[in-house]
Structure formats: structure tokens, C-alpha cells
Amino acid sequence: MSLAENQLPPLRILPLRFLLRSQGLHFPEFSGSVWHGGLGMILAQHSQEAFRRLYQTDSESRLYTLRPPMRTQIPAGEQFELQLTLFGYGVDHALAVTQAIAELGKVGMRPGGYYELIEASAITPESTTPFLSEQEGFLAAPKAVAAHEYLPVDPQQIDQCRIHFITPLRIKEGNDLLRKTPTYAQLLRRTFGRIDQLAHAAGEMPSLAKSLRAELYEKAERVEINASSIKAHVLERRSTRSGQQMQFGGIIGTVDYVGAMQTTLPWLQLARLAQLGGKTAFGFGGLEIEVLNS
């Protein structure tokens, strides 16, 4: 790590969870682009600095990720969750983003409908802490922490895990989108690449220097695929900029990995928050990790 890197602050991260109440929502197949566009519209109207810092950047280096609800219809009165994670200087705009989420529900999503904000919480390494609620109003400003604080302090013995790719994963090998089951080592390398990308965009320091990763990569190469239900998935969305219908491919499904993972899987836990591959600001690359044994 260079002297300049040592002088940088560590990459900050602030995962937010919004509890919402539907007033009758009807989404297209995948609502990520609707949330992305609606949030950007409200920020542009009410918080131009937040819009500039979060939206007017390179599309693959935006300092936030979306995890939209994976449902096309949410009946009136039913509660649901939206997750959004901010990185680097993006965390400084957490309240502007929260206000925009509340306002978007009032003006309505197109397509989609209306909803109400019930509660906004910050997900810390220890707990989920509300900072705004329908009944109590504003409670306290959410606080970001360094990304590495989300790593387990004492990783348990792990030799089998299941990774659920719940929104399409778009990663490339060469110039082509990956359409088969990713290896465990591919996922680990992509995780560090994603953290490096966010840290560079934010002007902050990644969680682990590149010079210290070789042993982790070697261990990851020995982890094998035990079972897979991966399949290709294609989504269509209409570009608001060009007015054209566009297709986005990716893979979804579940993979079981087997092998010694106690030192590498904690790093993949960061991928749950950062999301992997392209179009993460639209909700792509979402995953969940299930440890099958200890």
C-alpha cells in the first residue's frame, strides 16, 4: 500500500432499510429501474447537490446500490421493504435520500403507484437502528462506519455455503456476459474489484490492500461448486433518455459451494451490501449468503 493510500480514510458504508406501506403498487417484471428513476427525479427537484453527487457520475461508479422489492404487485395496506446502501461521500446525503423516498411515495411512481414511508433504519454491524418513524418523527442522524467493520471478527469454521443470486448478476469474462455458474474464486475477485471501484470513486481506502489478497485468492480457488440452479435471465426496460426498449441479461439462481471458506466468506458478506457486477444502481447483482454448516 502506498503512502498516499495510507493517508486516505477507510471506505465508509451506510446500509439503509425503508419500511413502506403500499397504497396499491403494480410494477413491471423488475422494479429496480423504476425506483432508480423515481429517486433521481425527486433528488433533482429537491436536493440538487445529492443528485449531482449520486447520479451525475459514471454509471458503474455510483456510490449507492438499490435492493428493490422482488414483487410485481403489492396490495394496498401491505408493508414491504426497500434497501439502499450508500458509500463514501454518498453517506453524507442519507437524509436527502430518505426525504426523497418519502416524497416519491406521495407523488407516485410511474409505473408503480403510491406508498407511505413507515420507518427508515440504518443497518449497523450489530443491529438495525431506526432514525425516522411515522409515529415518532426524526430520531437521530444515521451513522456510517468503515466497510471492514461489517466483517465477522471471529469467522467460524465453514466448509459449505449457499449463495442466492436474487437479482440478475451481470459480470463479464472477457467481453461477454457470464452465463454459467460463477466459481467461488470469481465471486471473491469480483467482490474486491467492486470495493476497489467504490473506494476509488469516493477517494477513500479499500478494506484490504491488493498486496494482501493473494493468499485469499489461493484458498478461494480450492472451493468447489457442489450444486447449481443458475439460469440466464433477461429483463426489458424502457430508457427514459432514448425512449427505446432495452434488454439486460444476467444470471439468477442458487449455488452451493464446498471447501474451506472461513477466511474468505466474510469478505463475500460485503458483496451483500455492495452488490456485484453491472447496473447495481438499478438493483442488479443482489445476493444473499446462507452458511450451511459450522
Side-chain angles (χ1 to χ4, degrees), residues 29-67:
E29 180 184 5
F30 181 69
S31 65
S33 63
V34 182
W35 289 100
H36 168 84
L39 177 60
M41 177 188 70
I42 300 298
L43 287 175
Q45 294 172 353
H46 298 282
S47 183
Q48 292 186 2
E49 176 64 13
F51 177 75
R52 183 180 69 84
R53 300 283 272 176
L54 293 174
Y55 273 73
Q56 294 184 316
T57 63
D58 180 84
S59 61
E60 300 303 336
S61 300
R62 288 175 177 161
L63 295 175
Y64 70 95
T65 61
L66 274 172
R67 180 74 69 86

Side-chain angles (χ1 to χ4, degrees), residues 19 77 100 124 154 161 168 181 200 225-226 229 283:
L19 181 62
T124 70
D154 296 311
C161 80
T181 302
H200 177 75
I225 297 168
N226 190 45
S229 65

Side-chain angles (χ1 to χ4, degrees), residues 95-213:
L95 295 183
V97 168
T98 300
Q99 291 169 350
I101 292 292
E103 183 64 20
L104 179 59
K106 296 175 183 177
V107 302
M109 303 173 69
R110 301 290 185 273
Y114 299 85
Y115 63 85
E116 299 168 304
L117 174 62
I118 299 173
E119 184 179 86
S121 303
I123 303 173
T124 70
E126 295 82 25
S127 63
T128 299
T129 306
F131 64 89
L132 179 73
S133 76
E134 188 178 45
Q135 274 115 21
E136 299 179 72
F138 180 71
L139 301 172
K143 294 183 179 180
V145 302
H148 65 261
E149 293 189 31
Y150 284 86
L151 299 171
V153 177
D154 296 311
Q156 58 182 330
Q157 182 71 28
I158 302 169
D159 59 28
Q160 191 171 1
C161 80
R162 177 171 295 154
I163 298 184
H164 305 269
F165 298 98
I166 58 177
T167 64
L169 174 67
R170 292 173 53 84
I171 61 176
K172 288 187 175 182
E173 287 299 323
N175 294 320
D176 298 322
L177 279 176
L178 184 69
R179 299 187 181 276
K180 62 182 181 179
T181 302
T183 67
Y184 185 84
Q186 279 179 308
L187 295 178
L188 184 65
R189 290 181 182 275
R190 293 290 179 170
T191 297
F192 280 120
R194 176 75 172 130
I195 297 301
D196 290 344
Q197 180 187 55
L198 291 166
H200 177 75
E204 298 180 348
M205 187 172 64
S207 305
L208 186 69
K210 293 181 180 179
S211 60
L212 302 178
R213 300 173 189 175

